[in-house]
Amino acid sequence: MGFYENAFRLLRECYAELNRDRTESRFADWRDAFDPSPFIGVADQAQGGPWRTWMACFPPGNGLPGDPLTEHNPFSVTAYLVRTATLLRTLLLSCQDRQGSRSEGRGGAEGQDTSSPQGGTGFRIPSSETVIETVARLLKYGTLATMAGLIEAVGVLEIALGAMSLYPENVILRLLEAIASNTRRQLDVLTEKGDDIRRLWEVIDIVLAALSGIVRFGLVYDPRGFDAIDEYDCREWLRLNGASERSLDSAFVRGLQALAFAYEDGDFRRPRLAAGAALRGSLRLLFTYRGDLFWKMRAGMGDVVFAPFYEVLKRRGVSFQFFHRLENVKLVDPAGLGPTERPYVEALEFDVQAEVSGGRDYQPFVNVRGRPCWPSRPNYEQLVDGDRLAREGGDFESHWDRRRVGTKTLRVTEDFDFVVLGLGIGAIPHVCREIVARDARWRAMVDHVKTVATQAFQIWMREDLGTLGWTYPSSSVAGFVRPFDTWADMHQLLPEESWPVRPGALAYFCSVLPDPPSPPQRADTEYPARRCEEVRGNAIRFLNRDIGAMWPKAVRWPGRFRWELLVDAGEQQPPTERAQADESRFDTQFWTANVNPSDRYTLALPGSAKYRISPLDNSYDNLTITGDWTDCGYNSGCVEAAVMSGRLAAHAISHAPPLEEIIGYDHP
């Protein structure tokens, strides 16, 4: 996303250091590897009618993600408040336009900036007496009963929010409450005029609730920032601040939940997302992105992000040891510690899954169109007994695959000095058993910072999406039919793939995957395969039953996907329309069940943030942790949080980078 400042800065530094030759590499610069993507949509179904897509195009933001920040700091509650009020004014103007009363009160309050919601806050601040008198006039004479009056009032609200300390808080709250009640009264009668006005009403209702809540809960002055409301579920908190049930069940809110995989245990009946995390993420998404709202990778993340990191680190002399499965982080015996000594990691115990032939370094990449890429299976020809390992078909990445050819123990001072533990939190109970057993804080963390399994599939099709009936630009869409409520057009990958005849379309779908009633046993080696087969069935049913709502010409008739659309890389001649390929053709595509403990997505459940442990925590003398499950300043499951956490772990070891260079770490 365009507000991932730390992730893009790190990636840009990596590409610059890699300094690829442009004549030899298609991805010589980070901009070569990313396509800006300004369109995002939510799927909407009004009163049981057909599914429709509500699409928005976000204008380019100033600069590019990862550029040095200017002296203007967009990461403050005050800045967020003003920009939210600006967004509210823009939405009300849109409602006014749709009513055909554009001539009323377009200008807003004197001296206010009328730029886009993502722009600056360049006010000429009037005196407190002037604002208080204006508020009194608006409230006294019934001005707010008209749309023009509401727009004027929101202009005054923008000014007051930009300098809250100058005005009594009760004045701002009274104005907000009056705007909210009058807006809801006016717009409620307009919602029957069509889906467009109803959707605007729903967003305005949510924006009003957020503004009211930020002021009412005193978040501008609370040192905890948005964390102060993390005990609440976001829908609960919005409801407390006046949001209607219709808005809380709207496509806008469902899209937010889908993007955050915010369903506890993967149960769609249990949407849960911490209010502070939801508010922080939404405001940064809307008001701090630079360049474009989304940036789509032009190859897999492993190839665009992790391959360059690997290459740079390899050049720097880092040693990578593949095919080692961490089994235990062993702590020193407490009885052997001196009175002032802190506990420390004494050893790391591994199972060795495979050995590299001839004692050489394992070469992990394959070449695709001149780029180093991670393969979907190991390079068995480099491994001892590689033919046998390939025939057995084991999964080195599976938590349940226990095969090994040996063990290895690394000891402190002999093999390492410091440990950076970068696993997903789902793996912590399995590999940090001693720490969890001894440390109540770690036990609380693994009990409360929960994860969810996810499912995904990707299909390559002979015809482009326009031919299949999709009428919008390339975009990402959330809030659609479950179990695959989020999908993205990924056609930008096609030129980077090696196809004899390039497919016309590529689409990716994902969502949560419900957990079973009881966790699988470690000895249940078939568990991942069963879950993958479940995802396959989910995908086939989804394509047959639901995709016609998005791509009407991708179905032969309701309930029947055109399976001959799917491209099979291994066939010489595609099936004809008459051949009518069946659903077995799906087996040529990609799907996955992300059920391994460290593959699961980290949730931001209400009340869970206080149990996260920071990478800066020094309870253990030679151990730090990193991942999007740590307390890193942006406690949401995403790349940006992982990079922020990694930079904090680097600071814990070396005091570099300085904390002030970790963008957003100390922001609300």
Side-chain angles (χ1 to χ4, degrees):
M1 294 186 180
F3 70 93
Y4 285 8
E5 294 290 341
N6 295 279
F8 271 107
R9 177 178 294 187
L10 191 66
L11 194 65
R12 290 170 66 170
E13 291 173 356
C14 175
Y15 271 82
E17 183 172 337
L18 195 57
N19 193 26
R20 288 171 170 163
D21 186 336
R22 186 169 290 280
T23 63
E24 298 178 359
S25 175
R26 294 166 63 84
F27 290 176
D29 182 75
W30 75 275
R31 288 297 303 269
D32 301 329
F34 287 86
D35 271 352
S37 181
F39 290 94
I40 185 170
V42 291
D44 185 28
Q45 187 179 33
Q47 300 178 346
W51 283 93
R52 303 189 186 280
T53 302
W54 186 23
M55 190 68 64
C57 178
F58 285 76
N62 295 329
L64 293 171
D67 280 351
L69 291 182
T70 65
E71 66 279 359
H72 172 64
N73 175 15
F75 300 97
S76 69
V77 178
T78 298
Y80 289 142
L81 272 172
V82 173
R83 288 177 175 174
T84 305
T86 306
L87 173 62
L88 176 61
R89 178 164 53 87
T90 302
L91 293 167
L92 289 173
L93 284 167
S94 180
C95 284
Q96 184 186 57
D97 292 346
R98 291 171 190 276
Q99 293 181 77
S101 53
R102 194 178 176 123
S103 59
E104 295 185 65
R106 180 80 185 203
E110 179 184 355
Q112 74 185 58
D113 174 53
T114 55
S115 61
S116 72
Q118 228 250 352
T121 58
F123 303 113
R124 296 195 308 271
I125 300 176
S127 68
S128 59
E129 291 79 10
T130 301
V131 169
I132 292 171
E133 289 171 4
T134 304
V135 171
R137 173 180 61 80
L138 290 167
L139 297 179
K140 181 177 181 180
Y141 294 109
T143 308
L144 299 186
T146 68
M147 186 64 71
L150 283 172
I151 292 169
E152 180 186 359
V154 174
V156 175
L157 179 66
E158 287 180 75
I159 295 171
L161 292 175
M164 285 187 67
S165 61
L166 298 180
Y167 313 112
E169 187 174 308
N170 66 322
V171 170
I172 295 175
L173 200 53
R174 282 180 60 208
L175 178 59
L176 247 176
E177 290 173 345
I179 290 171
S181 61
N182 281 277
T183 299
R184 288 173 174 132
R185 186 179 305 116
Q186 289 191 48
L187 293 186
D188 198 36
V189 300
L190 299 176
T191 57
E192 302 304 321
K193 292 191 174 183
D195 286 344
D196 286 349
I197 196 75
R198 172 183 57 80
R199 291 163 180 156
L200 275 173
W201 183 95
E202 291 165 350
V203 175
I204 289 170
D205 192 44
I206 295 298
V207 169
L208 283 166
L211 277 171
S212 300
I214 291 172
V215 175
R216 184 177 291 116
F217 278 74
L219 301 185
V220 172
Y221 305 111
D222 195 311
R224 297 170 294 173
F226 296 132
D227 289 344
I229 58 172
D230 252 342
E231 295 293 322
Y232 295 95
D233 174 71
C234 68
R235 296 172 80 252
E236 173 192 11
W237 184 78
L238 290 169
R239 185 182 291 112
L240 285 173
N241 290 289
S244 69
E245 292 303 315
R246 173 160 47 186
S247 300
L248 294 175
D249 292 332
S250 67
F252 180 77
V253 174
R254 286 189 295 102
L256 173 67
Q257 292 167 337
L259 287 172
F261 295 100
Y263 299 97
E264 191 167 5
D265 299 326
D267 187 343
F268 287 111
R269 298 167 299 181
R270 300 170 65 194
R272 298 191 72 211
L273 177 60
L279 196 58
R280 181 185 291 111
S282 299
L283 293 173
R284 288 195 186 179
L285 171 73
L286 290 171
F287 302 133
T288 72
Y289 74 87
R290 294 198 283 177
D292 276 86
L293 186 75
F294 278 92
W295 294 80
K296 288 185 178 179
M297 290 165 285
R298 292 179 60 192
M301 184 177 285
D303 311 327
V304 165
V305 177
F306 295 109
F309 283 160
Y310 175 88
E311 289 185 276
V312 165
L313 293 173
K314 193 73 173 175
R315 287 184 187 180
R316 290 185 180 189
V318 173
S319 173
F320 290 86
Q321 301 295 322
F322 293 87
F323 309 109
H324 286 69
R325 182 176 56 237
L326 180 63
E327 287 295 314
N328 187 41
V329 177
K330 184 175 179 57
L331 292 181
V332 66
D333 186 342
L337 292 173
T340 61
E341 280 190 293
R342 282 177 289 156
Y344 61 86
V345 177
E346 181 179 58
L348 299 169
E349 298 171 349
F350 295 89
D351 279 352
V352 181
Q353 299 168 297
E355 295 177 333
V356 182
S357 300
R360 300 187 299 269
D361 282 349
Y362 179 73
Q363 304 300 316
F365 296 132
V366 294
N367 186 288
V368 179
R369 297 175 64 82
R371 288 192 318 279
C373 296
W374 298 94
S376 59
R377 61 198 295 272
N379 293 324
Y380 286 111
E381 66 276 7
Q382 298 181 40
L383 303 181
V384 174
D385 289 335
D387 290 342
R388 176 181 59 81
L389 292 171
R391 287 194 306 273
E392 290 176 354
D395 183 357
F396 291 129
E397 298 181 19
S398 172
H399 171 73
W400 291 271
D401 190 330
R402 310 307 303 153
R403 283 175 285 191
R404 66 185 186 185
V405 297
T407 62
K408 182 183 291 185
T409 299
L410 303 182
R411 304 189 185 282
V412 69
T413 71
E414 297 176 18
D415 304 299
F416 67 88
D417 296 304
F418 208 96
V419 178
V420 181
L421 193 66
L423 300 171
I425 192 172
I428 295 298
H430 302 286
V431 302
C432 296
R433 298 180 296 276
E434 296 179 21
I435 301 179
V436 172
R438 296 186 199 177
D439 192 325
R441 291 176 65 220
W442 280 60
R443 284 199 302 278
M445 180 174 65
V446 299
D447 286 343
H448 292 90
V449 182
K450 293 187 176 182
T451 62
V452 66
T454 60
Q455 57 183 324
F457 73 93
Q458 188 161 289
I459 53 174
W460 291 257
M461 292 175 289
R462 294 161 53 197
E463 299 175 11
D464 63 63
L465 291 183
T467 304
L468 298 178
W470 177 248
T471 58
Y472 299 99
S474 177
S475 58
S476 302
V477 178
F480 188 42
V481 180
R482 297 155 182 170
F484 292 101
D485 53 13
T486 302
W487 75 275
D489 176 3
M490 302 295 281
H491 77 281
Q492 80 280 356
L493 299 176
L494 293 172
E496 310 305 326
E497 298 179 340
S498 296
W499 290 96
V501 178
R502 186 182 299 174
L506 172 56
Y508 171 83
F509 299 81
C510 65
S511 188
V512 297
L513 179 63
D515 284 326
S518 57
Q521 297 298 312
R522 189 72 182 265
D524 187 0
T525 57
E526 297 303 314
Y527 177 72
R530 291 200 305 274
R531 299 313 304 270
C532 272
E533 185 60 26
E534 181 181 342
V535 173
R536 178 185 180 276
N538 289 342
I540 288 171
R541 283 190 295 275
F542 173 84
L543 290 173
N544 273 328
R545 181 189 63 199
D546 302 313
I547 201 59
M550 288 281 174
W551 311 335
K553 296 181 181 178
V555 295
R556 190 173 304 283
W557 57 75
R560 168 69 176 179
F561 182 71
R562 291 171 54 203
W563 294 105
E564 70 276 0
L565 283 173
L566 300 184
V567 178
D568 180 355
E571 77 182 354
Q572 300 298 314
Q573 184 69 33
T576 63
E577 290 284 332
R578 187 171 303 194
Q580 293 190 14
D582 62 23
E583 64 189 34
S584 65
R585 193 168 180 81
F586 183 78
D587 294 343
T588 64
Q589 309 299 292
F590 169 81
W591 68 96
T592 183
N594 299 311
V595 295
N596 280 304
S598 60
D599 293 345
R600 293 168 61 96
Y601 182 84
T602 305
L603 295 173
L605 295 177
S608 65
K610 63 187 176 185
Y611 296 103
R612 292 173 177 243
I613 296 174
S614 170
L616 301 178
D617 181 81
N618 63 357
S619 300
Y620 299 92
D621 188 60
N622 65 341
L623 172 69
T624 186
I625 54 178
T626 183
D628 63 7
W629 47 274
T630 64
D631 182 15
C632 64
Y634 186 67
N635 296 336
S636 297
C638 65
V639 169
E640 177 70 353
V643 174
M644 291 172 69
S645 180
R647 302 193 83 194
L648 287 169
H651 182 89
I653 298 172
S654 62
H655 299 290
L659 292 180
E660 59 268 21
E661 289 189 8
I662 304 175
I663 306 302
Y665 162 62
D666 58 350
H667 298 160

